[in-house]
Amino acid sequence: MATSEPRAAGGEQDPNSANLRPPTTRFLQKNNSLEEKGRLAGQKNLLSCDNSDRDARFRRTETDFSNLFARDLLPAKNGEEPTMQFLLEVVDILTNYVKKTFDRSTKVLDFHHPHQLLEGIEGFNLELSDQPESLEQILVDCRDTLKYGVRTGHPRFFNQLSSGLDIIGLAGEWLTSTANTNMFTYEIAPVFVLMEQLTLKKMREMIGWPNGEGDGLFSPGGAISNMYSVMIARYKYFPEVKTKGMSAAPRLVLFTSEHSHYSIKKAGAALGFGTDNVILLSTDERGRVIPADLEAKILDAKQKVRVFFPFYFFNIIASPCTFISNHISFHLSWVLHLQGYVPLFVNATAGSTVYGAFDPINEIADICEKYNLWLHVDGAWGGGLLMSRKHRHKLNGIERANSVTWNPHKMMGVPLQCSAILVREKGILAGCNSMCAGYLFQPDKQYDVTYDTGDKAIQCGRHVDIFKFWLMWKAKGTTGFEQHIDKCLDLSQYLYNKIKNREGYEMVFDGVPQHTNVCFWYIPPSLRGMPDGDERREKLHRVAPKIKAMMMESGTTMVGYQPQGNKVNFFRMVVSNPSVTQSDIDFLIDEIERLAHDL
Amino acid sequence: MATSEPRAAGGEQDPNSANLRPPTTRFLQKNNSLEEKGRLAGQKNLLSCDNSDRDARFRRTETDFSNLFARDLLPAKNGEEPTMQFLLEVVDILTNYVKKTFDRSTKVLDFHHPHQLLEGIEGFNLELSDQPESLEQILVDCRDTLKYGVRTGHPRFFNQLSSGLDIIGLAGEWLTSTANTNMFTYEIAPVFVLMEQLTLKKMREMIGWPNGEGDGLFSPGGAISNMYSVMIARYKYFPEVKTKGMSAAPRLVLFTSEHSHYSIKKAGAALGFGTDNVILLSTDERGRVIPADLEAKILDAKQKVRVFFPFYFFNIIASPCTFISNHISFHLSWVLHLQGYVPLFVNATAGSTVYGAFDPINEIADICEKYNLWLHVDGAWGGGLLMSRKHRHKLNGIERANSVTWNPHKMMGVPLQCSAILVREKGILAGCNSMCAGYLFQPDKQYDVTYDTGDKAIQCGRHVDIFKFWLMWKAKGTTGFEQHIDKCLDLSQYLYNKIKNREGYEMVFDGVPQHTNVCFWYIPPSLRGMPDGDERREKLHRVAPKIKAMMMESGTTMVGYQPQGNKVNFFRMVVSNPSVTQSDIDFLIDEIERLAHDL
């Protein structure tokens, strides 16, 4: 066995002198004896503090951080103790924050305007400098960062589709950060890559694709997941676009609801379709796509022939030469066929952003089958309902989709970010995106390289978004997610029942909400007698922003508002945080009435 | 002042009964009195453990997690104590892992094949189930996840451009996870949005743009940052593509080095240019673009006219009717002008992935100016050298770029992910990507909404990648990053000097490396006498994969290999982790020789 001692490393920081050398170079040597011992010992003692060595090592001690700097932490010589003390001090700040997040006697936020924070409130200086700050200052900066932020996990934060602070998910993120690796190869993320694969399969099973077959990836958010769906649809029907560009395809058209997320239009712009070629579909009063409108617009697009060449009419009309004219007509009609509009892709939304509407997937799927179009279901917000036996019927037909976006970071309370793009056809993601970079995806590795995921993605490096979700699923079980979802939907129904006939409230649409979205106007006393008309509309339009500003400034709660179509600003209440109780819903209503009383 | 008590919430989990109500609804009420008290107390006692209340609360106690489940944690009634104990137990696992990461007596990895991990090694079961697992099992899962992963922070992990485990950055990520918010609006990420703005300005100053003016975003990785650069270049020259699609533009051509990162081609495919229209530039023996080749290929593209219409020749040749023919020719030439190739964008790489080459930016910028092309600098890997007075000259000319990619998660050791796209022209990012979604980017908010960033991005939700970087910059100062970078470059020069004339080594290119990339073949004794030729090449091609497999299976170190052009598999050594010492470089060389001795 070859051995070597570490060479002298003059003037360098104290490297550990031990060199691990296995006794033989066996293939598949399973156990790292040092680690293995630690692990077994750890398992035995994992749940107690009687491992005196470990306990002693990580007990917080009084440490003066004012004379310590980043350079004193690991890998510095003798850096272990300050490193552990610093990390434990940070954890103390974080656990205090976690505790307060769940405490209704704390504010949701401590609002300041940008210029105020930039000026440096109470010494909180955001500017960067050439010289290092002490660890004491770094700890103060951590506290201040949290202090002036927004407690998105607070039970009275209703502002976003993502809310709550799941403790298991949080622990998962802390571990992910510590592992600090990258999803692109099995080589450097073996466990995470497998977790992703198994979790995506489970999600595909819940969608209803046979045996959970198919493909998928976690991507940095629902907008990117939706962008993937458009890319792979294009690749499926016009694979030559990958090499030749959009000019190799006819004019392609995408269809999506006027209530759908703007990311479909954004994908249309980015991928070279153009937003004009993203056709918006009309919806019913609840914000659901009207299938007949989809079919009409498909037919309309197919019939529409874009006159691309200014000489076309000129030739047809002016040509005195029949022979040439006929030939030109023949060829031009071929060209024009290419230049016509070709319907490619339909997005059905399962849980729209504002109304929480579920498009009728089965009826849309019938139309997609009839016209041979790609069906994508954007379940970024509503996908979570697949976990609930009570509510999953709202996504009936999703098993007929070619691709699905589903963000566990929304309705399922997984920490940000966690968004999946799921694809029914295996191999198409890689076909669409692979570039076969030799330095990452070597075909001659010793393991089964089909587990490498990087060539399926539009990213190169890809953050580990899976672990927190996997760990939450382990810890809660499918049934835990189901309870979470059912509870949130019950709460929104509670809100709906509470305000639907209450004085001063008008619902934006009638009927029990499909998702947790409850959309309503609060009508302050001064507007209640006013006849409908422009003046009332203008005044009402200003009510929600004013209430919202007061909410933020008093820091008691947060809820979103927006206009939609011809409807002036209204509140969109959503619940995705299982910490919320009926009393928090009551609080919101009381707070709106308190703040808006004199408007 | 209106008050209200919480309503009865029958059958629900114990909400905290306290309702925070400010005494008045003042605008800009700055201080949350409860929090403020805590903060001041915290500041006083921050750095000691004499705050007995806090210390008692968070002291680890013996907790039996085998009968506890996720549902027993917050927001459960009496959930605070188990929550804190669980989080502290997780932190214990993580701090142990951190400690071992820096310990050279531990392995870099404990390799297993996918099928082995899937079968469930030693009870590590990756499958998800309907029923919850106990917190004890969750803790074991956390340990196992780390055990079977790869220690990317280990001083002998050289496999990726991103390596190391920065303690401040790690603390920053833990805080980011705990804050669990989203970068799209100032409303819910006020501090992080401002940190991003200030940090991007600082980065633009280092690039050399006047007063650090311009724009930018942190994006999910260098590939997406590069994609942004192509999108905004297209928008700058052909803004109508956003609405009309690629058919509104002529055939656009992108130029990038044959050694550049594959993400430029990937962007070409995704955005509808087509990979055929991504022209690869020849490089010198060091992997740097040859400017003359760029100019030749620009001219070539401009002269190339793509004959798109089959009837073109037909008409010109066959038309017996001069009048018509002339008109057709006139119009066709106009159409053909539109359909010709138009050079749009040049990517210059600052630090190529394999060779670490820096393209000559100034010479490329001259050509871009001459032909009015967008110049992007992909400094994902090399951008960090801007922090070093000794090495920043390698990026001379970067101030002439229109856009720059710079990944602090690579050379600057920031935890994954942290990648910036920086743009010289203000407003163009928003122009390119804005969709003005009313429910997020309300123009009638009470604060200055120009601070909202979401409409600049192709994402909707965007992970907080800034905080860890900002915190590291605070803690290390610019000078700390400079030392980090200079040290890593010194180490690669040490390696180069050590092996350039050593028996059994051949350098892939001559001369001192520009970046930390050192590319070499190890020639096992059995190949040393063999004459150059196909047989030797084939055998040599198999050497690096074999050594790499043995490294991974013994777990002692990891380094990347790949072929490049006509060069068979060679090792690419990189150093970005400041924990590395000369002894680790020595170890790598010894290890290669030990493992490859009998090949």
Coordinates of all heavy atoms in Angstrom, one line a residue, chain A residues 469-538:
Chain A
F469 N -38.7 19.2 0.8 CA -40.0 18.6 0.4 C -40.0 17.1 0.7 O -41.0 16.6 1.3 CB -40.2 18.8 -1.1 CG -41.6 18.4 -1.7 CD1 -42.7 18.3 -0.9 CD2 -41.6 18.0 -3.0 CE1 -43.9 17.9 -1.4 CE2 -42.8 17.5 -3.5 CZ -44.0 17.5 -2.7
W470 N -39.0 16.4 0.4 CA -38.9 15.0 0.7 C -39.0 14.8 2.2 O -39.8 13.9 2.6 CB -37.6 14.5 0.1 CG -37.3 13.0 0.4 CD1 -37.7 12.0 -0.4 CD2 -36.7 12.4 1.5 NE1 -37.3 10.8 0.1 CE2 -36.7 11.0 1.3 CE3 -36.1 12.9 2.7 CZ2 -36.1 10.1 2.3 CZ3 -35.5 12.0 3.6 CH2 -35.6 10.7 3.4
L471 N -38.3 15.6 2.9 CA -38.3 15.4 4.4 C -39.7 15.7 5.0 O -40.2 15.0 5.9 CB -37.2 16.4 5.0 CG -36.8 16.0 6.4 CD1 -36.0 14.7 6.4 CD2 -36.0 17.1 7.0
M472 N -40.3 16.7 4.4 CA -41.7 17.0 4.9 C -42.7 15.9 4.6 O -43.5 15.6 5.4 CB -42.2 18.3 4.3 CG -41.7 19.6 4.9 SD -42.2 21.1 4.0 CE -44.0 21.1 4.4
W473 N -42.5 15.3 3.4 CA -43.4 14.2 3.0 C -43.2 13.0 4.0 O -44.1 12.4 4.4 CB -43.1 13.8 1.5 CG -44.3 13.2 0.9 CD1 -45.2 12.3 1.5 CD2 -44.7 13.3 -0.5 NE1 -46.1 11.9 0.5 CE2 -45.8 12.5 -0.7 CE3 -44.2 14.0 -1.6 CZ2 -46.5 12.3 -1.9 CZ3 -44.9 13.9 -2.8 CH2 -46.0 13.1 -3.0
K474 N -41.9 12.7 4.3 CA -41.6 11.7 5.2 C -42.2 12.0 6.6 O -42.8 11.1 7.2 CB -40.0 11.6 5.4 CG -39.3 10.8 4.4 CD -39.2 9.4 4.9 CE -38.5 8.5 3.9 NZ -38.4 7.1 4.2
A475 N -42.1 13.2 7.0 CA -42.5 13.6 8.3 C -44.0 13.7 8.5 O -44.6 13.4 9.6 CB -41.8 14.9 8.8
K476 N -44.7 14.2 7.4 CA -46.1 14.4 7.5 C -46.9 13.2 6.9 O -48.1 13.0 7.3 CB -46.5 15.7 6.7 CG -46.0 17.0 7.3 CD -46.1 18.1 6.3 CE -47.5 18.7 6.2 NZ -47.7 19.9 6.9
G477 N -46.3 12.6 5.9 CA -47.0 11.6 5.2 C -48.0 12.3 4.2 O -48.3 13.4 4.4
T478 N -48.5 11.5 3.3 CA -49.5 12.1 2.3 C -50.7 12.6 3.1 O -51.2 13.6 2.8 CB -49.9 11.0 1.3 OG1 -48.7 10.3 0.8 CG2 -50.7 11.6 0.2
T479 N -51.0 11.9 4.2 CA -52.2 12.2 5.0 C -52.0 13.6 5.7 O -52.9 14.3 5.9 CB -52.5 11.2 6.0 OG1 -51.3 11.0 6.8 CG2 -52.9 9.9 5.4
G480 N -50.7 13.9 6.0 CA -50.5 15.2 6.7 C -50.7 16.3 5.7 O -51.3 17.3 6.1
F481 N -50.2 16.1 4.5 CA -50.5 17.2 3.5 C -52.0 17.3 3.2 O -52.5 18.4 3.1 CB -49.8 16.9 2.2 CG -48.3 17.1 2.2 CD1 -47.4 16.1 1.9 CD2 -47.8 18.4 2.4 CE1 -46.0 16.4 1.9 CE2 -46.5 18.7 2.4 CZ -45.6 17.7 2.2
E482 N -52.7 16.2 3.2 CA -54.1 16.2 3.0 C -54.8 17.0 4.1 O -55.7 17.9 3.8 CB -54.7 14.8 3.0 CG -56.2 14.7 2.8 CD -56.7 13.3 2.7 OE1 -56.3 12.5 3.6 OE2 -57.5 13.0 1.8
Q483 N -54.4 16.8 5.4 CA -55.0 17.5 6.5 C -54.8 19.0 6.4 O -55.6 19.9 6.6 CB -54.5 17.0 7.8 CG -55.1 15.7 8.2 CD -54.2 14.9 9.2 OE1 -53.3 15.5 9.8 NE2 -54.5 13.6 9.3
H484 N -53.5 19.3 6.0 CA -53.1 20.7 5.8 C -54.0 21.4 4.8 O -54.5 22.5 5.0 CB -51.6 20.7 5.4 CG -51.0 22.0 4.9 ND1 -49.7 22.2 4.8 CD2 -51.6 23.1 4.3 CE1 -49.4 23.4 4.3 NE2 -50.6 24.0 4.0
I485 N -54.2 20.8 3.7 CA -55.0 21.4 2.6 C -56.4 21.5 2.9 O -57.1 22.5 2.7 CB -54.7 20.5 1.3 CG1 -53.3 20.9 0.7 CG2 -55.8 20.8 0.2 CD1 -52.6 19.9 0.0
D486 N -57.0 20.4 3.5 CA -58.4 20.5 3.9 C -58.6 21.6 4.9 O -59.6 22.3 4.8 CB -58.8 19.1 4.4 CG -58.9 18.0 3.3 OD1 -58.8 18.4 2.1 OD2 -59.1 16.8 3.7
K487 N -57.7 21.7 5.8 CA -57.9 22.8 6.8 C -57.9 24.1 6.2 O -58.7 25.0 6.5 CB -56.7 22.7 7.8 CG -56.9 23.7 8.9 CD -55.7 23.8 9.9 CE -56.1 24.9 10.9 NZ -54.9 25.4 11.6
C488 N -57.0 24.4 5.3 CA -56.9 25.7 4.6 C -58.2 26.0 3.8 O -58.7 27.1 3.8 CB -55.7 25.8 3.8 SG -54.1 25.9 4.7
L489 N -58.7 25.0 3.2 CA -59.9 25.2 2.4 C -61.1 25.4 3.3 O -62.0 26.2 3.0 CB -60.1 24.0 1.4 CG -59.3 24.3 0.1 CD1 -58.5 23.0 -0.3 CD2 -60.1 24.8 -1.0
D490 N -61.1 24.7 4.4 CA -62.2 24.9 5.4 C -62.2 26.4 5.9 O -63.2 27.0 6.1 CB -62.1 24.0 6.6 CG -62.5 22.6 6.2 OD1 -63.0 22.4 5.1 OD2 -62.2 21.7 7.1
L491 N -61.0 26.9 6.1 CA -60.8 28.2 6.7 C -61.3 29.3 5.6 O -62.0 30.3 6.0 CB -59.4 28.5 7.0 CG -58.9 28.0 8.4 CD1 -57.4 28.0 8.5 CD2 -59.6 28.7 9.5
S492 N -61.1 29.0 4.4 CA -61.5 30.0 3.4 C -63.0 29.9 3.3 O -63.7 31.0 3.1 CB -60.8 29.8 2.1 OG -61.3 28.7 1.4
Q493 N -63.6 28.8 3.4 CA -65.0 28.7 3.4 C -65.6 29.4 4.6 O -66.7 30.1 4.5 CB -65.5 27.2 3.4 CG -67.0 27.1 3.1 CD -67.4 25.8 2.5 OE1 -66.6 24.9 2.2 NE2 -68.7 25.6 2.4
Y494 N -64.9 29.3 5.8 CA -65.4 30.0 7.0 C -65.4 31.5 6.7 O -66.4 32.2 7.0 CB -64.4 29.7 8.1 CG -64.6 30.5 9.3 CD1 -65.6 30.2 10.3 CD2 -63.8 31.6 9.6 CE1 -65.8 31.0 11.4 CE2 -64.0 32.4 10.7 CZ -65.0 32.1 11.6 OH -65.1 32.8 12.8
L495 N -64.3 32.0 6.0 CA -64.3 33.4 5.7 C -65.4 33.8 4.7 O -66.1 34.8 4.9 CB -62.9 33.8 5.1 CG -62.8 35.2 4.4 CD1 -63.0 36.3 5.5 CD2 -61.5 35.4 3.7
Y496 N -65.6 33.0 3.8 CA -66.6 33.2 2.8 C -68.0 33.3 3.4 O -68.8 34.3 3.2 CB -66.6 32.1 1.7 CG -67.8 32.2 0.8 CD1 -67.9 33.1 -0.2 CD2 -68.8 31.2 0.9 CE1 -69.0 33.2 -1.1 CE2 -69.9 31.2 0.1 CZ -70.0 32.2 -0.9 OH -71.1 32.3 -1.7
N497 N -68.3 32.3 4.3 CA -69.6 32.3 5.0 C -69.7 33.6 5.9 O -70.8 34.1 6.0 CB -69.7 31.1 5.8 CG -69.9 29.9 4.9 OD1 -70.5 30.0 3.8 ND2 -69.5 28.7 5.4
K498 N -68.6 34.0 6.4 CA -68.7 35.1 7.4 C -69.0 36.4 6.7 O -69.7 37.3 7.2 CB -67.3 35.2 8.1 CG -67.2 36.2 9.2 CD -65.8 36.2 9.8 CE -65.6 37.3 10.8 NZ -65.9 37.0 12.2
I499 N -68.4 36.6 5.5 CA -68.6 37.9 4.9 C -69.6 38.0 3.8 O -69.9 39.1 3.3 CB -67.2 38.5 4.4 CG1 -66.6 37.6 3.3 CG2 -66.3 38.7 5.5 CD1 -65.4 38.2 2.6
K500 N -70.1 36.8 3.3 CA -70.9 36.9 2.1 C -72.1 37.8 2.2 O -72.5 38.4 1.3 CB -71.2 35.5 1.5 CG -72.1 34.7 2.4 CD -72.4 33.4 1.8 CE -73.2 32.5 2.8 NZ -73.5 31.2 2.3
N501 N -72.7 37.8 3.4 CA -73.9 38.6 3.6 C -73.6 39.7 4.7 O -74.6 40.4 5.1 CB -75.0 37.7 4.1 CG -75.4 36.7 3.1 OD1 -75.5 37.0 1.9 ND2 -75.6 35.5 3.5
R502 N -72.4 39.9 5.0 CA -72.1 40.9 6.0 C -72.1 42.3 5.5 O -71.7 42.6 4.3 CB -70.6 40.6 6.5 CG -70.2 41.4 7.8 CD -68.8 40.9 8.1 NE -68.2 41.7 9.3 CZ -68.2 41.2 10.5 NH1 -68.7 40.0 10.8 NH2 -67.6 41.9 11.5
E503 N -72.6 43.2 6.3 CA -72.7 44.6 5.9 C -71.3 45.1 5.5 O -70.3 45.0 6.3 CB -73.3 45.5 6.9 CG -73.7 46.8 6.4 CD -74.2 47.8 7.5 OE1 -74.2 47.4 8.6 OE2 -74.5 48.9 7.1
G504 N -71.2 45.8 4.4 CA -69.9 46.4 4.0 C -69.1 45.6 3.1 O -68.0 46.0 2.8
Y505 N -69.6 44.4 2.8 CA -68.8 43.5 1.9 C -69.5 43.2 0.7 O -70.7 43.0 0.7 CB -68.4 42.2 2.7 CG -67.5 42.4 3.8 CD1 -67.9 42.9 5.0 CD2 -66.1 42.2 3.6 CE1 -67.1 43.1 6.1 CE2 -65.2 42.4 4.7 CZ -65.7 42.9 5.9 OH -64.8 43.2 6.9
E506 N -68.8 43.1 -0.4 CA -69.3 42.6 -1.7 C -68.4 41.6 -2.2 O -67.2 41.8 -2.3 CB -69.4 43.8 -2.7 CG -70.7 44.6 -2.6 CD -70.7 45.7 -3.7 OE1 -70.2 45.5 -4.8 OE2 -71.3 46.8 -3.3
M507 N -68.9 40.5 -2.6 CA -68.1 39.4 -3.2 C -67.8 39.7 -4.7 O -68.7 40.2 -5.4 CB -68.8 38.1 -3.1 CG -69.2 37.7 -1.7 SD -67.9 37.8 -0.4 CE -66.8 36.5 -0.9
V508 N -66.6 39.4 -5.1 CA -66.3 39.7 -6.5 C -66.9 38.7 -7.4 O -67.3 39.0 -8.5 CB -64.7 39.7 -6.6 CG1 -64.3 39.8 -8.1 CG2 -64.1 40.8 -5.8
F509 N -67.1 37.5 -6.9 CA -67.9 36.5 -7.7 C -68.7 35.7 -6.6 O -68.4 35.6 -5.5 CB -67.1 35.6 -8.5 CG -66.0 34.8 -7.8 CD1 -66.2 33.7 -7.1 CD2 -64.7 35.3 -7.8 CE1 -65.2 33.0 -6.4 CE2 -63.6 34.6 -7.1 CZ -63.9 33.5 -6.5
D510 N -69.8 35.1 -7.1 CA -70.7 34.4 -6.2 C -70.3 33.0 -6.0 O -69.6 32.4 -6.9 CB -72.1 34.4 -6.8 CG -72.7 35.8 -6.7 OD1 -72.3 36.6 -5.8 OD2 -73.6 36.1 -7.6
G511 N -70.7 32.4 -4.9 CA -70.5 31.0 -4.7 C -69.3 30.7 -3.9 O -68.4 31.5 -3.7
V512 N -69.3 29.5 -3.3 CA -68.2 29.0 -2.5 C -66.9 29.0 -3.3 O -66.9 28.5 -4.5 CB -68.5 27.6 -2.0 CG1 -67.3 27.0 -1.2 CG2 -69.8 27.6 -1.1
P513 N -65.8 29.5 -2.8 CA -64.6 29.5 -3.6 C -64.1 28.1 -3.9 O -64.3 27.1 -3.1 CB -63.6 30.1 -2.6 CG -64.3 30.7 -1.5 CD -65.7 30.1 -1.5
Q514 N -63.5 27.9 -5.1 CA -63.0 26.6 -5.5 C -61.7 26.3 -4.7 O -61.4 25.1 -4.4 CB -62.7 26.5 -7.0 CG -63.9 26.5 -7.8 CD -63.6 26.2 -9.3 OE1 -63.1 27.0 -10.0 NE2 -63.8 24.9 -9.7
H515 N -60.9 27.3 -4.5 CA -59.6 27.2 -3.8 C -59.7 28.0 -2.5 O -60.8 28.3 -2.1 CB -58.5 27.6 -4.8 CG -57.1 27.0 -4.5 ND1 -56.6 26.9 -3.2 CD2 -56.2 26.5 -5.3 CE1 -55.4 26.3 -3.3 NE2 -55.1 26.1 -4.5
T516 N -58.6 28.4 -2.0 CA -58.7 29.2 -0.7 C -58.9 30.7 -1.1 O -59.0 31.5 -0.1 CB -57.5 29.0 0.2 OG1 -56.4 29.6 -0.3 CG2 -57.3 27.5 0.5
N517 N -58.9 31.0 -2.3 CA -59.0 32.5 -2.7 C -60.5 33.0 -2.4 O -61.4 32.4 -2.9 CB -58.8 32.7 -4.2 CG -57.5 32.1 -4.6 OD1 -57.2 30.9 -4.3 ND2 -56.7 32.8 -5.4
V518 N -60.5 34.0 -1.6 CA -61.8 34.7 -1.4 C -61.6 36.1 -1.8 O -60.8 36.8 -1.2 CB -62.2 34.6 0.1 CG1 -63.6 35.3 0.3 CG2 -62.4 33.1 0.6
C519 N -62.4 36.6 -2.8 CA -62.1 37.9 -3.4 C -63.3 38.8 -3.0 O -64.5 38.4 -3.3 CB -62.0 37.8 -4.9 SG -60.6 36.8 -5.4
F520 N -63.0 39.9 -2.5 CA -64.1 40.8 -2.0 C -63.7 42.2 -1.9 O -62.5 42.6 -1.9 CB -64.6 40.3 -0.6 CG -63.5 40.4 0.5 CD1 -63.3 41.6 1.2 CD2 -62.6 39.4 0.7 CE1 -62.3 41.7 2.2 CE2 -61.6 39.5 1.7 CZ -61.5 40.6 2.4
W521 N -64.7 43.1 -2.0 CA -64.5 44.5 -1.8 C -65.0 44.8 -0.3 O -66.1 44.3 0.1 CB -65.4 45.3 -2.7 CG -64.9 45.4 -4.1 CD1 -63.9 46.1 -4.6 CD2 -65.5 44.7 -5.2 NE1 -63.8 45.9 -6.0 CE2 -64.8 45.0 -6.4 CE3 -66.6 43.8 -5.4 CZ2 -65.0 44.5 -7.6 CZ3 -66.8 43.3 -6.6 CH2 -66.1 43.6 -7.7
Y522 N -64.3 45.6 0.3 CA -64.8 46.2 1.6 C -65.3 47.6 1.2 O -64.6 48.4 0.6 CB -63.7 46.3 2.7 CG -64.3 47.0 3.9 CD1 -65.2 46.3 4.7 CD2 -63.9 48.3 4.2 CE1 -65.8 46.9 5.7 CE2 -64.5 48.9 5.3 CZ -65.5 48.2 6.1 OH -66.0 48.8 7.1
I523 N -66.6 47.8 1.5 CA -67.2 49.1 1.2 C -67.2 50.0 2.5 O -68.0 49.6 3.4 CB -68.6 49.0 0.7 CG1 -68.8 47.7 -0.2 CG2 -69.1 50.2 0.0 CD1 -68.1 47.9 -1.6
P524 N -66.4 51.0 2.6 CA -66.5 51.8 3.8 C -67.8 52.5 4.0 O -68.5 52.7 3.0 CB -65.4 52.8 3.6 CG -64.7 52.5 2.3 CD -65.6 51.6 1.6
P525 N -68.2 52.8 5.2 CA -69.5 53.4 5.4 C -69.8 54.6 4.5 O -70.9 54.7 4.0 CB -69.4 53.9 6.9 CG -68.4 52.9 7.5 CD -67.4 52.5 6.4
S526 N -68.8 55.4 4.2 CA -69.0 56.6 3.4 C -69.5 56.2 1.9 O -70.0 57.1 1.2 CB -67.8 57.4 3.3 OG -66.7 56.7 2.7
L527 N -69.2 55.0 1.5 CA -69.5 54.6 0.1 C -70.8 53.8 0.0 O -71.3 53.4 -1.0 CB -68.4 53.8 -0.5 CG -67.1 54.6 -0.8 CD1 -66.1 53.7 -1.6 CD2 -67.3 55.9 -1.5
R528 N -71.3 53.4 1.2 CA -72.4 52.4 1.2 C -73.7 52.9 0.5 O -74.4 52.1 -0.1 CB -72.6 51.9 2.6 CG -71.5 51.0 3.0 CD -71.7 50.2 4.3 NE -70.4 49.8 4.8 CZ -70.1 49.4 6.0 NH1 -71.0 49.4 6.9 NH2 -68.8 49.1 6.3
G529 N -74.0 54.2 0.7 CA -75.2 54.6 0.1 C -75.1 55.1 -1.4 O -76.0 55.4 -2.0
M530 N -73.8 55.1 -1.8 CA -73.6 55.8 -3.1 C -74.0 54.9 -4.3 O -73.8 53.7 -4.3 CB -72.1 56.0 -3.2 CG -71.7 56.9 -4.3 SD -69.9 57.2 -4.3 CE -69.8 58.4 -3.0
P531 N -74.7 55.5 -5.2 CA -75.2 54.7 -6.4 C -74.0 54.2 -7.2 O -72.9 54.9 -7.3 CB -76.1 55.6 -7.2 CG -75.6 57.0 -6.8 CD -75.1 56.9 -5.4
D532 N -74.1 53.1 -7.9 CA -73.0 52.6 -8.7 C -72.8 53.6 -9.8 O -73.7 54.2 -10.3 CB -73.4 51.2 -9.3 CG -72.2 50.4 -9.7 OD1 -71.1 50.9 -9.4 OD2 -72.4 49.4 -10.4
G533 N -71.5 53.7 -10.2 CA -71.2 54.7 -11.3 C -69.7 55.0 -11.2 O -69.0 54.4 -10.3
D534 N -69.2 55.8 -12.1 CA -67.8 56.1 -12.1 C -67.2 56.6 -10.8 O -66.1 56.2 -10.4 CB -67.5 57.1 -13.3 CG -67.6 56.4 -14.6 OD1 -67.7 55.1 -14.6 OD2 -67.5 57.1 -15.6
E535 N -68.0 57.5 -10.2 CA -67.5 58.1 -9.0 C -67.3 57.1 -7.9 O -66.2 57.0 -7.2 CB -68.4 59.2 -8.5 CG -67.8 60.0 -7.4 CD -68.8 60.9 -6.6 OE1 -69.9 61.2 -7.2 OE2 -68.5 61.3 -5.5
R536 N -68.3 56.2 -7.7 CA -68.2 55.2 -6.7 C -67.0 54.2 -7.1 O -66.2 53.8 -6.2 CB -69.5 54.4 -6.6 CG -69.5 53.3 -5.5 CD -70.8 52.6 -5.5 NE -70.9 51.7 -4.4 CZ -70.6 50.4 -4.4 NH1 -70.1 49.9 -5.6 NH2 -70.7 49.6 -3.4
R537 N -66.9 53.8 -8.4 CA -65.9 53.0 -8.8 C -64.5 53.5 -8.5 O -63.6 52.9 -8.0 CB -66.0 52.7 -10.3 CG -67.0 51.6 -10.7 CD -67.2 51.5 -12.2 NE -65.9 51.3 -12.9 CZ -65.4 50.1 -13.0 NH1 -66.0 49.0 -12.5 NH2 -64.2 49.9 -13.6
E538 N -64.3 54.8 -8.8 CA -63.0 55.4 -8.6 C -62.7 55.5 -7.1 O -61.6 55.2 -6.7 CB -63.0 56.9 -9.1 CG -62.7 56.9 -10.6 CD -63.1 58.2 -11.3 OE1 -63.0 59.3 -10.6 OE2 -63.5 58.2 -12.5

